């Protein structure tokens, strides 16, 4: 039996940081996991510690460990770093992933840097999921939205100044993790600073074998300042910087030598009991460098270099840039005591560029001149949108809401090189192109019985093709071994979706069962094209993005939380997704049925928790896209912690074994 074990030691030193737990209520539709003040619905307030310990495998969990435990979320793994989130089978450009409502885009053509890779749990105040077409508040999409809200300064501290420093060690990768948080608050000003440093060597499996190219090192820091001129309003500025280097990807032929992200924002908010206005302006910049200088082709093809030295015929330098400037304004207005309307106007301008320089050198022959091309052309994308939501309280037990959105999308090529490159396919590109996307959604929720709530959603939405799908030029996909090229003439991808959910809560027991269904047409997918030759020596061929007639996605999620007696808590999450093309072939990259169970017991200053994660086998695969069957597995973890109190200082010692 294969095992992967690691232990971690946790030392948490907190100075004057005993935060008071505030409870807030949210609409029962919104699935919001709050990391400091947690509620899941307007009728089910849940304690902070009770939830957070289930959503984190340990105190030093990455954002990937946390999101993996959310309803409908699974992860596409290319290594031990920067796992790509998937929501009910949707990923990439089918999702809106935002940071405090700010649009942001990765700079890697191989999707090795999802937006979630540039943020840490210590930066976070909450994670908000919106399922299906209903997640259009941040832009039209077909699969849903994930908003990662940045942390506030801690006004709940008993003292104006507070600090926390933590250190953890993981034996499986000789990994060191340092977390810190500090801040200062008074009646008018709030300041918070938090961050993390992580360094991991190559991981080892249960037999002690080293997993090459699984190392990474990163530094992250977030600074927030709020000024409160009165009790109803505030000005806020956020600065976040994330820097990763020497990041290995064992499932890919290339690593990452450097990945940086810088985020700047300025926000104003004014709230009254029945109305609210918020305005924000922001800018973010991402720089990402793929690197194969430490790779050997024989390792990627055979898994073993054989100590024969460098066998790579072609080396590639592949930097990418993505810069986004945006703004939005939201206004919440009451129509009367039972009805309200939310209006949001937003715009962002994204500039993207990705390059590839190839250095050819056949053994025994002179070095050939470098070859240059743009895998993403120098392109500017501008999107302006208007979102309107109307909600009505029909009775004391039911509520209805309708929302709609329209976006105007414009792409402008900033250089002639893209036209020159695509001319080899007999394409003539227009310097500027535009598309309009629309969305309309209806939501109804009702309390059927005192402990039982029914929610239903239905809607339509569409999305624009991503830069890769529209303008990508010879993008290698390691999963199926094909080069991919974009299609500048793609139509928008469209979806109709429906979702129904039942939530039961009584006597410390919460059960949530939800089922969603999506039908898509003009579905965007790479299709094999035998008339265009591949560029890479190791590819199986070339695929071009096209609109397919249709696809179907269905998913089921079951979540259970139970506290039978004080101190004892049980958490369970099961999720299953099934996807198929109109032809009946399975959609690729669909996870199997997975189930997570966690049991925790807390007495005085001591806490112990045991977890189990079980995944069923996946035999429903698409072999045309490089998939193979995967066996089932079941893994167990255990962790414990003890709190030591010294006046105004707390020391938290923890130990765990994870598989």
């Amino acid at each position: 039996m294969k095992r992967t074990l690691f232990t971690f030691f946790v030392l948490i030193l907190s100075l004057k940081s005993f935060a008071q737990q505030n409870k807030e209520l949210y609409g029962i539709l919104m699935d919001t996991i709050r990391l400091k003040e947690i509620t899941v619905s307007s009728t089910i307030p849940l304690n902070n510690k009770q939830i957070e310990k289930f959503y984190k495998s340990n105190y030093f969990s990455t954002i990937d460990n946390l999101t993996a435990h959310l309803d409908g979320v699974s992860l596409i793994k290319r290594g031990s770093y920067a796992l790509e989130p998937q929501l009910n089978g949707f990923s990439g450009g089918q999702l809106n992933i935002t940071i405090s409502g700010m649009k942001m885009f990765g700079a890697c053509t191989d999707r090795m840097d999802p937006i979630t890779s540039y943020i840490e749990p210590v930066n976070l105040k909450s994670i908000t999921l919106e399922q299906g077409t209903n997640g259009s508040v941040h832009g039209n999409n077909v699969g849903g939205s994930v908003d990662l809200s940045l942390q506030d300064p801690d006004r709940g501290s008993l003292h104006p100044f507070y600090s926390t420093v933590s250190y953890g060690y993981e034996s499986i990768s000789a990994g060191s993790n340092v977390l810190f948080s500090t801040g200062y608050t008074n009646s008018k000003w709030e300041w918070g600073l938090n961050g993390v440093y992580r360094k991991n060597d190559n991981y080892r499996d249960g037999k002690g074998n080293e997993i090459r190219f699984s190392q990474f090192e990163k530094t992250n820091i977030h600074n927030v300042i709020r000024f409160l001129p009165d009790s109803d309003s505030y000005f806020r500025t956020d600065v976040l910087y994330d820097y990763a280097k020497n990041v290995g990807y064992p499932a890919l032929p290339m690593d990452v030598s450097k990945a940086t992200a810088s985020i700047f924002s300025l926000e104003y908010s004014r709230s009254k009991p029945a109305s609210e206005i918020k305005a924000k302006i922001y800018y973010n910049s991402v720089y990402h460098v793929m690197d194969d200088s430490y790779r050997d082709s024989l390792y990627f093809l055979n898994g073993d270099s054989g100590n024969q030295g460098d066998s790579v015929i072609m080396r590639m330098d592949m930097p990418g840039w993505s810069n986004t400037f945006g703004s939005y304004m939201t206004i919440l207005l009451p129509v009367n005591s039972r009805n309200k309307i939310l209006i949001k106007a937003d715009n962002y301008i994204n500039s993207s560029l990705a390059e590839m320089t190839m250095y050819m050198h056949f053994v025994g022959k002179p070095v050939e001149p470098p070859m240059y091309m743009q895998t993403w052309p120098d392109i500017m994308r501008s999107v302006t949108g208007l979102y309107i939501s109307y909600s009505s309280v029909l009775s004391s037990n039911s509520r209805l809401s309708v929302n709609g959105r329209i976006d105007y999308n414009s792409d402008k090529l900033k250089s002639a090189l893209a036209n020159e490159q695509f001319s080899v396919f007999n394409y003539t590109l227009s310097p500027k192109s535009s598309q309009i996307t629309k969305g309309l959604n209806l939501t109804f929720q009702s309390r059927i019985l005192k402990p039982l709530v029914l929610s239903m959603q239905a809607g339509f939405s569409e999305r624009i093709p991503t830069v890769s799908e529209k303008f990508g030029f010879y993008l290698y996909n390691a999963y199926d071994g094909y080069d991919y090229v974009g299609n500048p003439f793609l139509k928008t991808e469209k979806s109709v979706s429906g979702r129904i959910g039942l939530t039961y809560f009584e006597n410390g027991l919460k059960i949530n069962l939800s089922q969603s269904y999506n039908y898509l047409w003009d579905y965007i997918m790479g299709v094999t094209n035998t008339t265009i030759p591949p560029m890479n020596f190791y590819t199986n061929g070339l695929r071009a993005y096209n609109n397919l007639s249709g696809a179907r996605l269905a998913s089921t999620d079951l979540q259970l939380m139970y506290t039978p007696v004080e101190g004892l808590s049980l958490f369970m999450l099961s999720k299953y997704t099934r996807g198929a093309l109109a032809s009946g072939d399975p959609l690729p990259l669909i996870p199997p049925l997975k189930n997570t169970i966690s049991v925790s017991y807390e007495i005085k200053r001591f806490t112990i928790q045991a977890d189990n994660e079980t995944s069923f086998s996946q035999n429903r695969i698409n072999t045309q896209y490089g998939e193979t069957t995967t066996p089932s597995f079941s893994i167990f973890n255990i962790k414990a912690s003890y709190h030591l109190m010294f006046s105004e200082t707390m020391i938290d010692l923890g130990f765990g074994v994870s598989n």
Side-chain angles (χ1 to χ4, degrees), residues 137-182:
V137 65
H138 304 301
N140 278 319
N141 71 98
V142 296
S145 68
V146 182
D147 185 55
L148 309 166
S149 181
L150 291 173
Q151 187 62 267
D152 295 330
D154 188 1
R155 286 194 68 84
S157 176
L158 297 180
H159 298 270
F161 177 79
Y162 60 91
S163 290
T164 300
V165 179
S166 311
Y167 175 78
Y169 176 79
E170 298 178 351
S171 64
I172 192 172
S173 60
S176 294
N177 298 272
V178 180
L179 279 67
F180 75 91
S181 178
T182 189

Side-chain angles (χ1 to χ4, degrees), residues 15-185:
L15 303 176
K16 302 178 182 178
S17 60
F18 306 104
Q20 298 172 344
Q21 298 300 318
N22 299 320
K23 294 183 178 180
E24 300 177 5
L25 300 181
Y26 286 80
I28 57 180
L29 259 188
M30 186 171 295
D31 183 6
T32 301
I33 305 302
R34 302 188 65 81
L35 302 183
K36 282 207 169 184
E37 305 159 352
I38 298 180
T39 58
V40 175
S41 80
S42 62
T43 57
I44 313 173
L46 297 174
N47 179 267
N48 168 44
K49 292 182 179 180
Q50 181 185 358
I51 298 299
E52 187 173 355
K53 63 190 177 186
F54 293 138
Y55 284 87
K56 288 184 176 183
S57 60
N58 66 71
Y59 188 80
F60 297 96
S61 290
T62 65
I63 190 70
D64 301 322
N65 302 135
L66 196 152
T67 54
H69 292 82
L70 300 179
D71 285 358
V73 176
S74 57
L75 299 172
I76 300 173
K77 300 182 180 181
R78 299 173 175 92
S80 57
Y81 182 83
L83 281 59
E84 182 183 357
Q86 187 186 69
L87 181 59
N88 296 325
F90 293 100
S91 62
Q94 297 172 321
L95 299 177
N96 274 333
I97 299 181
T98 52
I99 297 178
S100 291
M102 298 179 287
K103 300 290 287 188
M104 186 173 176
F105 301 90
C108 176
T109 56
D110 288 350
R111 289 159 67 171
M112 297 160 71
D113 69 332
I115 300 308
T116 50
S117 67
Y118 293 116
I119 197 167
E120 288 283 335
V122 71
N123 307 146
L124 286 181
K125 175 184 177 182
S126 64
I127 299 177
T128 302
L129 296 181
E130 290 284 359
Q131 308 280 353
T133 59
N134 197 53
S136 60
V137 65
H138 304 301
N140 278 319
N141 71 98
V142 296
S145 68
V146 182
D147 185 55
L148 309 166
S149 181
L150 291 173
Q151 187 62 267
D152 295 330
D154 188 1
R155 286 194 68 84
S157 176
L158 297 180
H159 298 270
F161 177 79
Y162 60 91
S163 290
T164 300
V165 179
S166 311
Y167 175 78
Y169 176 79
E170 298 178 351
S171 64
I172 192 172
S173 60
S176 294
N177 298 272
V178 180
L179 279 67
F180 75 91
S181 178
T182 189
Y184 176 82
T185 63

Side-chain angles (χ1 to χ4, degrees), residues 18 62 86 151 159 167 173 208 215 228 264 311 333 370 386 389 395 397 443-444 480 484 512 522 552 611 613 637:
F18 306 104
T62 65
Q86 187 186 69
Q151 187 62 267
H159 298 270
Y167 175 78
S173 60
Q215 80 290 335
L228 296 84
F264 308 90
S311 65
L333 297 172
L386 178 65
S389 174
S395 70
N397 292 321
T443 300
F444 173 77
D480 58 16
Y484 278 67
N512 184 75
D522 289 331
R552 302 182 302 275
D611 304 324
E613 180 182 347
N637 312 306

